[in-house]
Amino acid sequence: MTPLSFEWHWNADYLVFMGLLYVALAVIGAGLIYTFLKTWMDLESGESELPPEIESRKKYAAY
Amino acid sequence: MKATEGKYKYGMVINLDKCTGCGTCTVACAAENNLSVIRDETDKQRTISWMQLFKVTNGKPFPDTEVSYFPRPCMHCHNHTPCVSVCPPTATKMDYNNGIVSQIYTRCIGCRYCQAACPYQARYFNWWDGHFPKGTERYLSPEVSVRMRGVVEKCSFCHHRLMRAKEQAYAEDRRELEDGEYITACTEVCPAEAITFGDLNDPDSKVAKLSKHPQAFRLLERIGTEPKVYYISSKDWVRRMADNYHPNEFQPV
Amino acid sequence: MDSALFPEGVKRCSPKVFLLWTLPWLALLAWGGLSAFLCLWKGLNQTNMSNIFAFAIWIVFDLAVIALGAGAFFTGFLTYVIGRKELKSIINAAVIIGFICYSGAVAMLGIDIGQPIRGWFIFWHANVHSMLTEVSFCISAYLGVLAIEYIPIILENRQIEKVPHLRLFGHNLHHIMGVFAATGTFLSFFHQGSLGGMFGVMYARPFAERWDFYVWPTTFFLFVFSAIAAGPCFTILCTKLTEAISRKKLVPDNAVQFLARLSGWLLSGYLVLKIIDTAVWANTTVPNAGLGLMDFYREGPYGIWMLIAEIGIFGIVPAVMLMIPQVRQNPAGLIVACLMNCTGIVLNRFVFIIATLAIPVMPFARFWSYLPTWQEWGIAMALVGYGFLLFSVSYRYLPVFPKEQELNPAMNG
């Protein structure tokens, strides 16, 4: 449902509910886009030659 | 979700003193609204009957046994309609202008949350595709759509009859419907004339007057659903059957 | 044969043994597949659901696995947002269990609705006042989050990791996992809650109705609370089961003990609220509806034992067990306490679904009983089969337990 849907009402119920949903989806989407872009830029800058060790794995030795 | 009062508020009064439990209302409703039969009609948990008859007795042994019937259509609850507020795809709505709770079959996804929320067991799910034994399909009413499997349906207060009455009034250049011009099929057929239907907001209508009868009551009134279907019974034990009471709480009229 | 796919430095059974192990789960899946086909092809008349039991075993399973799968969001929250480092040794398992529970539940819901092809109407024609709308939105979005959390684990497979693009992608995804975990926590909080809210808002059914706190009935908060109390225990149970079957230690005790202790405290907190809620309900809502507490427990098998079992036997007992260090450090004590905790929460969901519908509201309405058909059991059991299968495959080929190698030095091979 979007504000363009015929059932949409411009009241707090709809704004809060759909607003929060779209914010959550936007955060997830932005996170994914960021990851794709970062991966693409890292590959462009040639870092792909020596893929780094996954951070979390390194940390396991630390505790 | 607050009920904003519309101009009309259609409702029903059923006089249980007059009701003989003949079941004509149930049959007429089924015929009027194209209710499908299922192959095994003894499966009472899954049959569809918008107007269902509940038989009650006073529980006393013969010769003091008394019997009464509760014909139960959809109550078209006026306050925070339990099924309307829970329906996720907005497939059921109350029209505040006439108080009728509608069901949009092509919108219903069949999650059955409305059935769970309705305390009157007034909602029915189509467990099978519509089935009309050979020949009966010729008697289907063109004014009411048949339902597909997997959707919920319920009494619509014969909404198509309201449409028909409005069209008639429009053709006759009238703005208002006369009392009794729009009545449901069950009201029309009841041989005992136990059912009265009309606009509860019109103080002069028969139904509005009857609804204020001292012996008038509604089903499960104390949970606050504000049904638009009233019953009248002169018997205390019948009125007591309509709701849950603590011991010694029920006040006979 | 497939050893090139195993995580580095760990031992796995032979392909033949693994195939044998998967057979019962594949059989359950086949049973479920047949049932699902029948239900989709012929309709829900294949079940024993009825106009009285509009919700039945599938919804019980749904709510149960979603409550038990709460270990994923809560462990994710503790690991990535709060920063409990010891939980990194169990977070992968928690995420996979969560993914299994949620994807299974969504698949089941797809069969449970009468018109699955119209499922998207919930999103497009949303009634924002319906708790079920909130549930659908949050579960779908959270399933996406779980998939995102699962992807880096898949990309850590020894062969996949050799592809630089994928490794880098997994690495970057892992890097911002906190963002996803936080969003997941938000979504999960609201749908665990709205699953409870679904029942609390049914104000016309006094057995389920609860008073409102702001816009949500108390069941909203109780369901969140009970889910985060039971979820970690289910994660522990799954881990312990994997350890028993693989005959290896996979997770250090500090992680398990932390979750167990936390579960114990959360469960006791939940129980305090649940008891208050039940007392308030029994003294306000119930008498207002003209009923007494015992009126609900008169018919069929749904006696007062449900309340005693839910709050007492499978509530207070495991809560006390988990809070006593000596008991939860004892392997048998831990398992029993976790099992009882999960049983109590599943019983709570069962009561809210089945007992609510079974107890008639109109005084003259009769009591009906319900037993599931083999098709209903098939779909419910397919969820179990799917869970075992996906977890087994993940365990075999992915570094689910990062400490496995370190904890089993002698087994390297």
Side-chain angles (χ1 to χ4, degrees):
Chain A
M1 178 181 269
T2 66
L4 301 174
S5 307
F6 72 92
E7 288 124 324
W8 180 271
H9 297 284
W10 284 102
N11 63 26
D13 308 6
Y14 281 78
L15 285 172
V16 171
F17 185 90
M18 299 306 288
L20 284 176
L21 175 83
Y22 282 122
V23 166
L25 290 180
V27 170
I28 298 170
L32 280 179
I33 290 167
Y34 166 81
T35 316
F36 276 113
L37 285 179
K38 187 157 189 309
T39 308
W40 182 62
M41 273 156 47
D42 288 352
L43 287 170
E44 286 290 294
S45 63
E47 275 181 36
S48 61
E49 299 306 316
L50 275 172
E53 181 67 17
I54 286 180
E55 282 294 314
S56 59
R57 290 252 194 105
K58 273 197 239 160
K59 277 189 211 147
Y60 290 134
Y63 62 92
Chain B
M1 300 305 285
K2 288 277 177 303
T4 43
E5 279 302 314
K7 190 170 178 195
Y8 308 100
K9 185 173 156 187
Y10 288 104
M12 188 181 272
V13 176
I14 305 177
N15 191 328
L16 301 184
D17 292 340
K18 290 184 182 174
C19 174
T20 62
C22 67
T24 311
C25 51
T26 304
V27 176
C29 168
E32 175 85 14
N33 292 294
N34 298 337
L35 258 61
S36 154
V37 294
I38 63 174
R39 281 184 173 77
D40 175 14
E41 280 280 323
T42 64
D43 186 357
K44 288 299 171 199
Q45 284 195 75
R46 299 210 258 191
T47 51
I48 297 175
S49 171
W50 288 7
M51 180 62 134
Q52 192 171 333
L53 269 182
F54 285 89
K55 181 184 174 183
V56 293
T57 79
N58 62 352
K60 288 188 182 159
F62 179 81
D64 301 318
T65 314
E66 286 182 23
V67 170
S68 186
Y69 293 90
F70 276 101
R72 193 259 21 235
C74 169
M75 298 287 138
H76 295 265
C77 303
H78 205 67
N79 177 38
H80 196 96
T81 318
C83 51
V84 167
S85 54
V86 301
C87 176
T90 332
T92 182
K93 271 275 176 196
M94 187 171 85
D95 186 340
Y96 287 118
N97 200 37
N98 56 30
I100 296 176
V101 177
S102 61
Q103 177 76 17
I104 311 168
Y105 311 122
T106 46
R107 173 71 72 77
C108 174
I109 62 166
C111 71
R112 305 184 297 284
Y113 190 11
C114 55
Q115 285 191 302
C118 174
Y120 302 103
Q121 303 176 357
R123 295 183 150 266
Y124 295 88
F125 184 73
N126 283 273
W127 300 96
W128 285 268
D129 266 314
H131 171 62
F132 300 95
K134 198 166 168 44
T136 57
E137 77 278 358
R138 286 185 293 140
Y139 296 96
L140 288 176
S141 160
E143 286 180 297
V144 181
S145 66
V146 291
R147 277 74 66 184
M148 62 294 285
R149 149 187 125 192
V151 302
V152 171
E153 60 179 67
K154 66 163 197 76
C155 156
S156 63
F157 267 174
C158 290
H159 186 263
H160 57 285
R161 286 177 170 235
L162 172 63
M163 295 293 112
R164 201 197 290 164
K166 275 179 159 177
E167 273 174 33
Q168 183 66 31
Y170 184 76
E172 292 168 9
D173 207 20
R174 282 185 287 127
R175 286 260 164 207
E176 301 291 333
L177 297 180
E178 307 272 325
D179 186 27
E181 202 176 346
Y182 156 46
I183 54 168
T184 61
C186 51
T187 312
E188 187 177 348
V189 299
C190 179
E193 296 188 344
I195 307 177
T196 313
F197 184 85
D199 180 14
L200 292 166
N201 274 358
D202 173 9
D204 298 325
S205 73
K206 216 170 140 194
V207 73
K209 285 176 186 156
L210 281 174
S211 71
K212 293 185 180 73
H213 190 281
Q215 286 167 340
F217 61 95
R218 291 177 288 181
L219 279 183
L220 299 177
E221 217 158 323
R222 61 195 306 164
I223 53 179
T225 51
E226 300 283 329
K228 287 195 280 282
V229 175
Y230 291 76
Y231 295 90
I232 290 177
S233 175
S234 59
K235 299 190 176 79
D236 284 334
W237 71 267
V238 174
R239 287 199 301 275
R240 198 187 189 290
M241 276 277 180
D243 210 336
N244 296 298
Y245 292 98
H246 296 290
N248 306 322
E249 191 190 16
F250 178 72
Q251 299 287 332
V253 179
Chain C
M1 193 170 73
D2 55 352
S3 57
L5 291 165
F6 296 163
E8 224 157 321
V10 300
K11 197 165 159 49
R12 294 286 182 267
C13 62
S14 71
K16 207 183 272 176
V17 175
F18 185 70
L19 190 69
L20 275 176
W21 160 254
T22 57
L23 283 181
W25 317 124
L26 287 171
L28 284 183
L29 273 184
W31 177 17
L34 176 64
S35 309
F37 171 76
L38 283 173
C39 289
L40 293 172
W41 184 253
K42 294 192 163 183
L44 292 177
N45 50 58
Q46 299 293 306
T47 70
N48 261 348
M49 286 192 279
S50 65
N51 292 322
I52 307 296
F53 291 97
F55 294 158
I57 184 178
W58 292 342
I59 301 289
V60 175
F61 256 74
D62 258 338
L63 263 69
V65 296
I66 282 176
L68 299 176
F73 99 82
F74 193 53
T75 317
F77 172 73
L78 293 171
T79 314
Y80 296 112
V81 182
I82 304 285
R84 297 293 306 202
K85 285 208 167 53
E86 69 267 41
L87 292 180
K88 291 219 164 174
S89 55
I90 203 168
I91 178 70
N92 287 354
V95 163
I96 295 171
I97 293 164
F99 180 80
I100 289 167
C101 289
Y102 278 78
S103 51
V106 169
M108 227 161 144
L109 281 174
I111 298 164
D112 190 40
I113 59 174
Q115 289 280 345
I117 295 170
R118 297 181 191 165
W120 61 280
F121 283 11
I122 297 185
F123 303 96
W124 196 245
H125 303 293
N127 169 12
V128 299
H129 301 109
S130 171
M131 284 288 166
L132 197 51
T133 308
E134 198 173 316
V135 171
S136 315
F137 276 53
C138 293
I139 286 193
S140 318
Y142 183 54
L143 182 58
V145 171
L146 278 171
I148 291 170
E149 291 183 333
Y150 194 5
I151 289 169
I153 310 174
I154 299 173
L155 296 182
E156 279 183 50
N157 173 282
R158 190 137 63 102
Q159 298 304 321
I160 298 177
E161 212 182 26
K162 286 183 181 159
V163 183
H165 302 61
L166 294 179
R167 179 173 174 160
L168 200 55
F169 181 70
H171 170 86
N172 286 335
L173 208 51
H174 204 106
H175 205 71
I176 58 159
M177 202 46 84
V179 176
F180 294 116
T183 319
T185 305
F186 168 81
L187 292 167
S188 208
F189 177 86
F190 277 96
H191 84 247
Q192 294 284 1
S194 40
L195 275 174
M198 266 182 75
F199 299 94
V201 296
M202 296 203 296
Y203 79 98
R205 287 194 182 263
F207 184 70
E209 186 202 358
R210 292 297 185 275
W211 51 281
D212 283 351
F213 183 82
Y214 190 44
V215 294
W216 295 289
T218 55
T219 46
F220 182 97
F221 305 96
L222 290 174
F223 269 50
V224 179
F225 217 149
S226 56
I228 58 175
C233 274
F234 189 66
T235 310
I236 294 174
L237 281 178
C238 293
T239 314
K240 290 289 168 193
L241 188 63
T242 317
E243 288 189 343
I245 292 167
S246 65
R247 280 164 289 171
K248 272 184 239 172
K249 191 158 182 63
L250 298 170
V251 178
D253 281 334
N254 63 347
V256 171
Q257 286 298 318
F258 173 75
L259 285 183
R261 194 180 75 219
L262 192 66
S263 244
W265 285 104
L266 288 170
L267 186 61
S268 28
Y270 159 70
L271 284 169
V272 170
L273 292 182
K274 171 76 186 170
I275 290 166
I276 295 173
D277 178 68
T278 308
V280 172
W281 164 76
N283 289 297
T284 57
T285 311
V286 179
N288 287 347
L291 295 159
L293 180 65
M294 291 311 290
D295 288 329
F296 293 125
Y297 300 108
R298 277 193 311 225
E299 299 202 76
Y302 307 121
I304 190 74
W305 66 267
M306 291 190 304
L307 200 61
I308 298 167
E310 184 198 326
I311 296 180
I313 303 168
F314 297 109
I316 296 171
V317 175
V320 171
M321 284 173 81
L322 287 169
M323 280 192 296
I324 302 173
Q326 288 83 349
V327 179
R328 69 162 183 267
Q329 279 157 11
N330 173 303
L334 179 69
I335 301 290
V336 170
C338 287
L339 270 176
M340 289 176 80
N341 181 355
C342 294
T343 310
I345 301 309
V346 173
L347 189 60
N348 171 266
R349 305 306 194 250
F350 173 86
V351 167
F352 264 107
I353 299 160
I354 301 295
T356 298
L357 297 182
I359 298 166
V361 189
M362 290 187 294
F364 52 80
R366 61 160 284 195
F367 174 84
W368 296 87
S369 63
Y370 152 84
L371 274 179
T373 57
W374 66 264
Q375 290 93 329
E376 290 179 85
W377 280 116
I379 287 170
M381 286 299 127
L383 190 58
V384 178
Y386 161 69
F388 268 97
L389 209 57
L390 191 59
F391 199 82
S392 305
V393 171
S394 299
Y395 170 70
R396 189 172 173 82
Y397 298 118
L398 307 175
V400 175
F401 298 101
K403 286 265 186 177
E404 181 179 354
Q405 199 187 345
E406 190 184 312
L407 290 166
N408 303 280
M411 280 179 151
N412 289 356

